């Protein structure tokens, strides 16, 4: 080995590695595998290159010698032009398409090379980036392990923080980066300027990473760019190894930089590519480049570092230009790649051969480095010294690459410096040294040998394994001095030293209240005034539409009445919610104060609006009625206060506003109301010095009446580093109340509890915001959320209050599990696992806790201890039945006796999983030592008759057959040459099962023959070995999978080498077993290219989509996506529903029951739905080991064949129609004839026999010449009946079947009574007849002389969206909806000709509400119903007729009857719901005549149903259904169809603004009403009440959606049912 390099006698150092501090890599006495540099043999090849290029360049410099002048800052233009052409070619993607500057005289336009900037190499480029773009206090994020010299470089910037981020096998963990970076960003105040653009960078080597060799995946790259853009940080890529690619593709991996350019066109890039010639030419030339977006290039060109000396390395860049221009670098790089590939291969092959089995590595596809993992107990630093001394080989320990000096059990090997022979010998010696060290020097050698040798370590979803065992000790100051003894100065250093009052950390949960003048418009958000003044279009449009010109924001104040505000009720609610403190907005940015502030004259709640001290009242209630702490929110600034705007105009050099307004308010609040929390806000525009923040806080902490207990937040003009709080709002879109909010805008209870769990687990408090209405009401939906939370906390509060963060926040295995732990006073140090989703099969796997034999687990709210067991993946906890627990949202497992915790990061071991039922089966039925291979001899197939099978498949109507040629067990059903002794000829039936069936199918039928083939074999040694290398090797594929596939398609020779087996020539190849490895491992594309181009079946074969992970549903002849894939809708690509008759298994099961099999009806339904949506169906059967297709399978297949003989023309060769299933009638699916069908026949496949032989089809549109027939039969006609205007005749009409099937409808009470929203829908009558509470309400809130008609202009319905209403009703599961077209007040919701100026078109919303609603509902399958009041409270005509004892009929003839005809003819309802006829006869109302017309001649004669309220003596006597009385529920079976008309609000049918949660029926009560009603033969008509704005309030919406969820599961017990012989169970009163 000596003599490779001349001996250097000079005492001075000659190169970087010539130092006493490191091993001289040129000294081969010890072979150093650490140098990331090209070796001498590679560098010597540069000499002729540079000689030739220098001569070439000097010839060009004869005239001006520009090369020796100061260069332009971004570098010689020829250099950048040649570099762009070179990189474009080598990257196979465009790098700065450069044209000659000679083509334009305006050099300013020549900006194509603006993105390339000359550097002195990658290290210089990195320093230039940091100096140019980052402020002094920036953050530098790096991967857990990264380039060690970069870490040393970052230490030159001591004011910058270096933060590590976890890695995975695909690159950086982008989710972790997002979380960590977001947290860091929130901590700092960044000194950003026009030049200092980024608060942080993320440094990475995305291609052939140093030291790990990993290449960032496409998903990782895309995610990283998204994170960078979202958090506005720069990603700096050391792109130094990209072109050293050793793979088979024509191009190297796509670089990260290219992911940041497409959509942005370089206008705002967040990725910087830092390149160099050091690795691809020679490090001594010190020439590199930065590739950046134009805006960054401009800043670099203006950099003081570059401008002070011109272009860096001007001379050498000129020589490099000639090297590129002459094509010398292309040839040199080709040689480098070839040579380095050989060296990498040599190192990896040697490691494969000699590396102990308890170590592992990943074979890189390029670059310089191999990352070697050792057992956890091995310290690579000591190992390196050992190997250097005893085995004369050295490598770099992993801790050198870690910010925190972790990864001590790793080594990095470099492959570029030494030649193959030296590398091979040195790598072998290193392996021997490792083994020697572990077995003789490592203290835990015996443990490693016994436990590690048999374990195959898998780097799954991760790059590295970290094991940290720590004794968790919390050091807290338990003897803090009395706060009264400490004085704090008006500096942040002093103020920040104040301990947090303990109550706040223990409290955990607070309630936030956003309430103010913004609650009056109740639109948009609490920033209403600012948005309106800022000309936000939706706010301007809202004001223009609803308020007169000249209306000001201050005008809203008088309507801020708070008339229903009861602070005691609020206090009770907050106490019930489980909150421990409350924060009220004492003043928001609008400046209006909720207390009588002396510095807010005439703009406070006592002077204008409610005329009461809202803040004081709540403070008194909170303190007298509860044990909660009381806090105030206070905005420091006010948007439009003239004093603030004046200070702002002086750039806050004056403090008039602060001195006269802000500070006096704060002192007033503290001294008067003594808050425990001051929640400051509105500080962002000015510094803390302007707000006098430190002075106020010093007074607050030293002298104020709350100095010992008060806590403050961090919005004082500077960020405080203290305990944190998640301030969030239940309305996801606003903090203030919004009148038009929908249920989906609010967090669900489950989402709220999730937010709580995540917050507390991570050490925070949660402040939950609700926005009261202008009336002082906390809307029922918000009340419900808070009470739900309180109910949950009553059971699970131990896991929340006074807890601390545990070592883990969320579980390492199961998502949706968050941890807390008991505080220091909890002697058992309990750990609480908050489980957000109910575990499947009641089994919860926890990866974080480590338990001992004495550990105990219980569930809060449960009884007894939980059973648990330790598995290889974690602790398996067995949950009790859900019905035994008292909470519906999240469940808390209390863990006692957890041990010190070992953290396993980013890796899992590959361990075969034994499922207990299989183990138990084997233990019970087979002797010890029995293997799976022993089953093969019993696979006899003695009754296998392929001709019988072929006949059955032909009879079934199938057109192709697919046989499993090999499943994942690896056993082949043909005599495969690559499956010796594990195939059906060598062991078992001793027959070519596949060949025989292929022959029978082809000789006996016209079916196509296909084969299923599993790419993987579960336990094949070659596959497991490939898997161990993360599929970087392909031994299994090359020796097993691909040869098998070729055997199946073409002729091959058996192991006897004397017998040819004929090709099976399959028309289908159904691939499977692909999911663990990418398609590149399986060489899928190469096989398919051969299959399509050169195979004997190239013209006929079809394949599926299972050819590698990520391939299903993306590539292939047809898609199978997942097993039993049935999208239910038409999709663009051909697909197949691969499903099985045995619902539990694809293979034969001896213990299967009849219920496990699909019925013939279910099978036909599956066929129909699949074909209708454009798919094929592949129906699986599992023959027995004897070769028998069990009779139950045979029956199903023959039944299907019988059906297809009649109906096959609707299936075979058909195409999907415009509609897949019918728009009205469920269970009807469509197909159409193919393109050769001249009539273009459409087939409606009806899965259920139509009731009364009548089928309603909504999808087809027919003409006079259309013809309908039924395959295999003929249709029949229907008789016509007429009904006389007598009850005897009318009562004989059959009830239209749809109504009895429907069972569930929605009632809507909406009208002018919705405006006052008080009392009930009889408001006018109650007020007019002097009901005291109505009179008091009017006197308190409306001026004298106000009439009921005056409410009409306020009935604006501005948020009424009928499509949204209908979507809600569909989601509720309702089958019909009844709208009040006119209530007893006489106001009509449609533009009736008979209600001039007293209808929704003429006054109020100025629209046809009935018409809009009708149009929306007709888009669905819901039936339309209309409620209509026969009488009107105060119509003069009605009062006159009434005075005449109804002997005159002025009102009926001129108003009521014309209205009814008008409604039917115009809107064609399916239900006519009459009301208000009591006290007058049917003769007066002409009811029978109208109903006779409805049944005989109206446009809805065949479908209409009417109720029983048509005049005296009709209720419960006549009509299609009886409603009898409101909320009618007889509880027993009735002879006549009836309806329970009832309302969710138990007090009223119309909307009430002051309704409380307790006024509404719970979902349990509603379901009880539905069930008891339907069980006794009734329909349920459930009433809701929209508000005057047209909003169905969230509490109603939630109830309806909850019913819909219940019906989604249980609807078959409701819809279309009939009453049973018993309605209510004899033993259990809750069973119907």
């Amino acid at each position: 080995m000596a003599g490779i390099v001349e001996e250097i006698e000079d005492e001075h150092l000659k190169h970087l590695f010539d130092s006493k501090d490191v091993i001289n890599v040129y000294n081969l006495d010890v072979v150093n595998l650490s140098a990331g540099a090209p070796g001498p043999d590679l560098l010597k090849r540069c000499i002729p290159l540079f000689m030739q290029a220098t001569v070439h360049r000097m010839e060009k410099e004869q005239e001006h010698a520009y090369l020796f002048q100061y260069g332009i800052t971004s570098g010689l233009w020829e250099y950048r032009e040649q570099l762009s052409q070179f990189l474009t070619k080598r990257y196979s993607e465009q790098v700065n398409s450069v044209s000659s500057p000679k083509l334009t005289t305006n050099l300013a336009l020549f900006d194509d090379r603006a993105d390339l900037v000359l550097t002195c190499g990658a290290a210089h480029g990195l320093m230039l980036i940091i100096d140019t773009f980052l402020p002094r206090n920036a953050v530098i994020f790096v991967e857990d392990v990264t380039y060690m010299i970069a870490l040393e470089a970052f230490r030159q910037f001591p004011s910058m923080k270096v933060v590590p981020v976890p890695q995975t096998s695909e690159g950086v963990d982008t989710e972790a980066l997002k979380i960590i970076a977001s947290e860091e960003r929130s901590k700092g105040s960044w000194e950003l300027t026009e030049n200092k653009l980024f608060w942080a960078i993320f440094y990475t080597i995305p291609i052939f990473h140093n030291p790990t060799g990993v290449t960032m995946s496409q998903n990782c790259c895309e995610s990283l760019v998204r994170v960078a853009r979202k958090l506005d940080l720069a990603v700096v890529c050391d792109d130094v190894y990209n072109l050293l690619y050793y793979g088979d593709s024509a191009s190297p991996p796509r670089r990260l930089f290219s992911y940041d350019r497409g959509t942005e066109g370089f206008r705002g890039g967040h990725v910087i590519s830092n390149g160099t010639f050091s690795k691809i030419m020679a490090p001594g030339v010190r020439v590199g480049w930065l590739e950046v977006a134009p805006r960054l290039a401009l800043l670099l060109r203006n950099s003081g570092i570059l401008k002070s000396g011109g272009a860096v390395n001007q001379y050498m860049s000129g020589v490099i230009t000639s090297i590129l221009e002459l094509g010398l670098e292309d040839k040199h790089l080709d040689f480098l790649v070839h040579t380095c590939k050989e060296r990498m291969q040599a190192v990896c092959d040697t490691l494969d051969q000699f590396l102990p089995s308890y170590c592992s590595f990943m074979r890189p596809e390029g670059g310089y480095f191999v990352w070697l993992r050792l057992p956890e107990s091995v310290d690579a630093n000591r190992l390196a010294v050992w190997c250097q001394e005893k085995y004369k080989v050295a490598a770099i320990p992993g801790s050198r690459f870690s910010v925190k000096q972790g990864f001590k059990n790793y080594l990095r090997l470099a492959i570029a410096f030494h030649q193959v022979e030296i590398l091979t010998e040195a790598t072998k010696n290193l392996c021997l040294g490792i083994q020697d060290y572990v077995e003789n020097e490592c203290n835990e050698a015996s443990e490693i040998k016994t436990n590690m040798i048999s374990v195959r370590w898998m780097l799954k979803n991760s790059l590295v394994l970290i094991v940290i065992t720590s004794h968790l000790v919390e050091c807290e100051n338990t003897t803090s001095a009395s706060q009264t003894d400490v004085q704090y100065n008006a500096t942040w250093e002093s103020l920040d030293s104040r301990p947090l009052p303990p109550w706040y950390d223990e409290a955990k949960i607070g309630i936030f209240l956003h309430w103010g003048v913004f609650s009056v418009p109740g639109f948009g958000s609490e920033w209403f005034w600012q948005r309106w003044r800022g000309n936000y279009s939706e706010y301007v449009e809202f004001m223009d539409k609803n308020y007169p010109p000249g209306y000001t924001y201050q005008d809203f104040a008088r309507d801020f009445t708070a008339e229903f505000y009861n602070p005691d009720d609020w206090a009770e609610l907050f106490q019930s919610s489980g909150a421990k403190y409350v924060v009220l907005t004492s003043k928001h940015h609008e400046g209006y104060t909720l207390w009588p502030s002396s510095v807010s004259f005439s703009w406070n709640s006592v002077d204008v609006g409610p005329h009461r001290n809202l803040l004081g009242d709540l403070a008194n209630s909170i303190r007298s009625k509860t044990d909660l702490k009381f806090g105030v929110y206070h905005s420091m600034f006010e948007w439009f206060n003239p004093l603030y705007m004046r200070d702002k105009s002086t750039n806050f050099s004056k403090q008039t506003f602060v001195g006269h307004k802000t500070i006096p308010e704060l002192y007033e609040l503290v001294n008067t109301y003594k808050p425990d929390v001051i929640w400051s806000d509105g500080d962002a525009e000015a510094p803390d010095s302007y707000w006098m923040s430190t002075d106020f806080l010093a007074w607050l902490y030293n002298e104020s009446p709350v100095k010992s207990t008060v806590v403050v937040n961090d919005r004082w003009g500077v960020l405080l580093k203290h305990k944190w709080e998640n301030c969030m709002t239940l309305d996801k879109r606003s903090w203030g109340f919004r009148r038009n909010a929908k249920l989906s805008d609010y967090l669900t209870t489950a989402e709220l509890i999730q937010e709580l769990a995540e917050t507390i687990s991570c050490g925070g408090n949660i402040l939950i915001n609700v926005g009261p209405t202008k009336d002082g009401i906390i809307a029922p939906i918000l009340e419900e959320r808070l009470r739900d939370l309180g109910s949950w906390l009553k059971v699970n509060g131990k896991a929340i209050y006074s807890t601390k963060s545990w070592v883990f926040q969320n579980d390492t295995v199961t998502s949706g599990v968050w941890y807390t732990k008991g505080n220091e006073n909890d002697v058992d140090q309990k750990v609480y696992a908050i489980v957000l989703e109910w575990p499947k099969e009641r089994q919860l796997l926890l990866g974080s806790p480590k338990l001992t034999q004495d550990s105990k687990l219980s569930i809060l709210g449960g009884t007894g201890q939980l059973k648990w067991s330790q598995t290889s993946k974690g602790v398996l906890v067995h949950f009790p039945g859900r019905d035994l627990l008292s909470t519906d949202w999240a469940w808390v497992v209390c863990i006692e006796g957890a041990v010190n915790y070992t953290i396993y990061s980013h890796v899992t071991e590959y361990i075969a999983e034994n499922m207990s039922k299989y183990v138990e089966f084997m233990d019970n039925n087979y002797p010890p030592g029995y293997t799976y291979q022993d089953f093969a001899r019993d696979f006899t197939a003695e009754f296998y008759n392929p001709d019988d099978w072929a006949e059955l498949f032909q009879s079934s109507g199938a057109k192709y057959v697919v046989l499993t040629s090999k499943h994942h067990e690896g056993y082949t059903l043909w005599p495969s040459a690559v499956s010796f002794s594990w195939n059906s000829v060598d062991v078992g039936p001793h027959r070519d099962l596949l060949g025989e069936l292929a022959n029978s199918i082809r000789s006996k039928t016209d079916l196509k023959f296909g084969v299923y083939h599993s790419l993987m074999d579960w336990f094949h040694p070659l596959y497991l070995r490939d898997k161990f290398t993360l599929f970087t090797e392909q031994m299994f594929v090359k020796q097993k999978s691909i040869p098998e596939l070729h055997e199946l398609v073409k002729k091959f020779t058996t192991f006897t080498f004397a017998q040819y087996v004929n090709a099976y020539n399959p028309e289908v190849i159904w691939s499977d077993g692909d999911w663990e490895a990418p398609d590149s491992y399986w060489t899928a594309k190469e096989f398919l290219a051969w299959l399509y181009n050169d195979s004997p079946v190239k013209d006929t074969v079809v394949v599926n989509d299972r050819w590698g992970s990520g391939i299903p549903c993306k590539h292939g002849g047809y898609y199978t996506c997942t097993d039993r894939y049935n999208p239910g809708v038409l999709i663009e690509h051909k697909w197949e529903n691969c499903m099985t008759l045995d619902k539990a298994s694809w293979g034969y099961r001896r213990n299967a029951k009849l219920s496990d099999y699909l019925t013939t009806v279910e099978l036909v339904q599956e066929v129909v739905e699949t074909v209708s949506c454009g798919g094929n169906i592949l129906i699986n059967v599992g023959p027995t080991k004897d070769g028998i297709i069990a009779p139950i399978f045979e029956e199903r297949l023959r039944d299907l064949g019988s059906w297809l003989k009649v109906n096959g023309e609707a299936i075979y060769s058909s195409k999907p129609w415009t509609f897949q299933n019918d728009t009205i009638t469920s269970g009807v699916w469509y197909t159409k004839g193919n393109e050769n069908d001249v009539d273009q026949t459409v087939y409606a496949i009806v899965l259920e026999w139509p009731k009364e032989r009548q089928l309603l089809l909504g999808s087809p549109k027919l003409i006079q010449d259309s013809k309908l027939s039924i395959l295999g039969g003929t249709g029949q006609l229907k008789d016509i009946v007429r009904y006389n205007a007598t009850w005897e005749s009318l009562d004989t009409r059959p009830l239209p079947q749809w109504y009895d099937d429907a069972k569930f409808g929605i009632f809507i009470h909406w009208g002018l009574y919705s405006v006052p929203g008080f009392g009930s829908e009889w408001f006018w009558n109650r007020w007019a007849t002097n009901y005291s509470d109505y009179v008091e309400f009017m006197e308190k809130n409306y001026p004298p002389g106000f009439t009921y008609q005056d409410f009409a202009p306020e009935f604006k319905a501005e948020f009424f969206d009928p499509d949204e209403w209908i979507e809600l009703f569909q989601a509720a599961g309702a089958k019909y909806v009844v709208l009040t077209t006119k209530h007893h007040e006489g106001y009509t919701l449609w533009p009736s000709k008979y209600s001039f100026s007293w209808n929704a078109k003429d006054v109020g919303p100025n629209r046809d509400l009935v018409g809009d609603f009708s149009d929306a509902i007709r888009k669905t399958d819901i039936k339309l119903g209309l409620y209509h009041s026969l009488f009107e409270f105060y119509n003069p005509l009605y009062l006159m007729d009434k005075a005449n004892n109804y002997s005159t009929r002025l009102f009926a003839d001129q108003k009521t009857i014309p209205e009814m005809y008008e409604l039917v003819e115009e809107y064609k309802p399916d239900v006519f719901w009459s009301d208000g006829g009591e006290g007058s006869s049917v003769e007066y109302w002409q009811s029978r005549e109208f109903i006779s017309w409805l049944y005989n001649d109206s446009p809805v004669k065949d479908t209409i149903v009417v109720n029983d309220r048509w005049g005296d003596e009709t209720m419960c006597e006549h009509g299609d259904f009886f409603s009898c009385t409101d909320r009618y529920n007889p509880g027993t079976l009735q002879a006549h169809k009836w309806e329970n008309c009832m309302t969710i609000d138990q007090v009223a049918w119309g909307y009430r603004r002051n309704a409380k949660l307790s006024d509404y029926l719970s979902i349990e009560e509603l379901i009880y009403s539905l069930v008891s009603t339907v069980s006794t033969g009734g329909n349920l008509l459930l009433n809701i009440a929209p508000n005057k704005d047209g909003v169905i309030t969230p509490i109603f919406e939630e109830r309806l959606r909850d019913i819909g969820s219940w019906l989604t599961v249980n609807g078959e017990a409701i819809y279309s049912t009939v009453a049973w012989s018993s309605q209510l169970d004899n033993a259990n009163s809750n069973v119907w």
Side-chain angles (χ1 to χ4, degrees), residues 608-620:
V608 61
H611 303 297
R612 57 192 286 195
N613 184 350
L614 303 177
L615 188 151
D617 290 350
L618 184 61
N620 291 336

Side-chain angles (χ1 to χ4, degrees), residues 153 167 222 276 283 416 455 469 518 523 533 782 880 888 903 1016 1124 1319 1358 1371 1420 1457 1506 1525 1564 1631:
Q167 291 161 280
E222 292 171 348
T276 180
V455 178
T469 304
F518 49 81
F523 177 82
R533 281 278 294 267
L782 299 175
D888 294 326
I903 305 172
M1016 75 158 171
R1124 305 173 180 85
E1358 62 260 48
T1420 72
I1457 295 172
V1506 301
T1525 61
E1564 292 80 10
V1631 176

Side-chain angles (χ1 to χ4, degrees), residues 1248 1251 1295-1304 1375 1533-1534 1537-1538 1569-1580 1606-1607 1609-1623 1632:
E1248 295 184 5
K1251 292 191 176 181
L1295 178 73
Q1297 186 63 43
W1298 77 261
Y1299 180 78
D1300 189 42
D1301 291 342
K1303 304 302 183 188
F1304 177 41
K1375 300 303 181 181
L1533 191 62
Q1534 303 295 299
K1537 184 67 186 180
W1538 61 279
S1569 292
L1570 174 64
V1571 170
S1572 61
T1573 298
V1574 174
S1575 178
T1576 49
N1579 278 20
L1580 179 70
W1606 187 86
L1607 284 167
V1609 176
N1610 302 292
E1612 69 178 81
I1614 301 296
Y1615 304 123
S1616 302
T1617 57
V1618 295
W1620 193 41
S1621 54
S1622 296
Q1623 282 71 62
W1632 292 83

Side-chain angles (χ1 to χ4, degrees), residues 1123-1249:
D1123 294 347
R1124 305 173 180 85
Y1125 176 64
N1126 187 352
V1129 295
L1130 190 63
I1131 62 174
E1132 293 182 0
H1133 197 86
K1134 184 65 184 181
W1135 61 279
E1136 181 182 76
N1137 176 2
C1138 172
M1139 47 75 67
T1140 177
L1141 288 178
D1142 179 346
K1143 292 177 273 188
S1145 175
W1146 297 78
Y1148 175 71
R1149 291 187 304 130
R1150 291 184 290 150
N1151 62 334
K1153 302 174 184 177
L1154 179 62
S1155 59
D1156 293 336
Y1157 297 101
L1158 291 180
T1159 65
T1160 301
V1161 172
E1162 291 171 326
L1163 175 59
V1164 171
Q1165 178 176 343
E1166 197 78 28
V1167 171
V1168 169
E1169 292 180 5
T1170 299
V1171 175
S1172 179
C1173 296
N1176 279 21
I1177 189 164
L1178 188 62
I1179 303 167
N1180 179 75
V1181 296
T1184 68
K1185 70 183 183 68
D1186 316 308
I1188 294 294
I1189 294 176
I1192 191 67
F1193 287 129
E1194 182 178 354
E1195 181 184 58
R1196 296 294 185 267
L1197 295 183
R1198 293 195 186 277
D1199 283 350
L1200 177 61
S1202 299
W1203 185 85
L1204 285 166
K1205 282 181 182 178
V1206 176
N1207 302 291
E1209 69 177 85
I1211 302 296
Y1212 303 123
S1213 301
S1214 64
K1215 300 290 182 184
W1217 191 42
T1218 310
F1219 297 88
Q1220 278 65 66
N1221 50 344
D1222 193 67
T1223 55
I1224 292 179
T1225 301
S1226 61
V1228 177
W1229 295 80
Y1230 293 99
T1231 62
K1232 71 172 183 178
N1234 62 27
E1235 54 275 3
N1236 298 321
D1237 178 3
V1238 293
D1239 295 326
Q1240 280 293 284
T1241 306
V1242 173
Y1243 300 95
I1245 308 173
V1246 185
L1247 297 178
E1248 295 184 5
W1249 184 256

Side-chain angles (χ1 to χ4, degrees), residues 1104-1123:
N1104 67 334
D1105 56 350
R1106 302 189 184 186
W1107 296 96
S1109 58
I1111 301 303
C1113 255
K1114 290 184 179 179
H1115 303 290
Y1118 59 88
Y1119 294 166
T1120 61
C1121 301
T1122 61
D1123 294 347

Side-chain angles (χ1 to χ4, degrees), residues 637-756:
F637 89 127
E638 297 173 17
W639 284 312
F640 306 114
N641 189 301
L643 295 180
Y644 177 72
M645 297 176 76
R646 187 187 306 166
D647 286 358
K648 186 175 180 179
S649 69
T650 69
N651 200 24
F652 301 108
S653 60
K654 293 185 177 180
Q655 295 175 292
T656 307
F657 174 73
V658 176
H660 288 78
K661 192 77 164 58
T662 299
I663 293 299
E665 284 174 343
L666 284 167
Y667 279 90
E668 199 173 63
L669 283 169
V670 173
N671 287 318
T672 306
Y673 303 106
K674 301 176 179 57
D676 298 296
V677 181
I678 298 181
W679 216 99
S680 179
D681 195 16
D683 61 314
E685 293 188 335
D688 61 306
S689 57
Y690 169 75
W691 298 115
M692 306 180 191
S693 302
T694 54
D695 298 301
F696 170 73
L697 291 175
W699 171 82
L700 187 69
Y701 292 170
N702 294 325
E703 303 172 33
S704 77
V706 290
K707 61 184 178 181
S708 301
T709 59
V710 74
V711 295
V712 302
N713 69 331
D714 56 350
R715 300 188 186 184
W716 299 91
V718 68
L719 184 67
L720 303 183
K721 299 176 181 178
H722 279 290
K723 168 81 181 183
W724 65 279
E725 180 181 74
N726 176 3
C727 170
M728 48 75 68
T729 178
L730 290 178
D731 179 345
K732 293 178 268 189
R733 298 178 59 185
S734 175
W735 298 79
F737 175 71
R738 291 187 305 126
R739 292 184 290 145
N740 61 332
K742 304 172 186 174
L743 178 62
S744 58
D745 293 335
Y746 294 99
L747 291 179
T748 64
T749 301
E751 290 170 329
L752 174 59
I753 291 174
Q754 177 177 345
E755 195 80 24
L756 169 71

Side-chain angles (χ1 to χ4, degrees), residues 396-427:
I396 301 182
S399 59
R400 290 281 303 279
F401 303 93
S402 168
V403 175
K404 298 182 178 180
Q405 285 75 54
F407 298 85
K408 292 184 178 179
N409 60 314
Y410 286 81
L411 288 175
R412 191 201 73 177
L413 313 185
I415 58 94
F417 191 87
H418 298 292
Q419 296 180 27
V420 167
E421 296 79 6
I422 298 173
L423 283 171
T424 302
E425 184 67 20
T427 304

Side-chain angles (χ1 to χ4, degrees), residues 1382-1465:
K1382 183 194 77 171
H1383 203 256
H1384 311 320
E1385 64 195 7
Y1387 180 89
T1388 69
L1389 300 196
W1390 82 99
S1392 174
K1393 296 190 291 288
Y1394 311 100
S1395 190
F1396 180 68
S1397 295
W1398 193 231
N1399 65 71
K1401 187 74 171 177
D1402 292 341
V1403 60
N1406 303 121
R1407 59 192 285 194
D1408 179 358
L1409 301 177
V1410 176
D1412 293 347
F1413 184 79
S1414 173
D1415 291 342
I1417 207 169
R1418 295 302 186 197
K1419 300 174 187 176
T1420 72
D1421 57 359
I1422 297 177
K1423 302 290 188 180
L1424 172 67
L1426 301 178
Y1427 165 104
H1428 176 264
S1429 173
L1430 294 171
F1431 90 117
E1432 297 174 15
F1433 290 130
Y1434 303 114
N1435 188 297
L1437 295 179
Y1438 176 72
L1439 294 175
M1440 189 182 303
D1441 286 351
K1442 184 177 180 181
N1444 294 329
N1445 201 23
Y1446 303 108
S1447 61
T1448 57
R1449 292 168 24 94
L1450 295 173
F1451 176 73
D1453 289 344
Q1454 297 179 37
K1455 190 76 162 57
T1456 296
I1457 295 172
E1459 282 176 345
M1460 294 195 295
Y1461 281 93
E1462 191 177 53
L1463 282 170
V1464 173
E1465 290 174 337

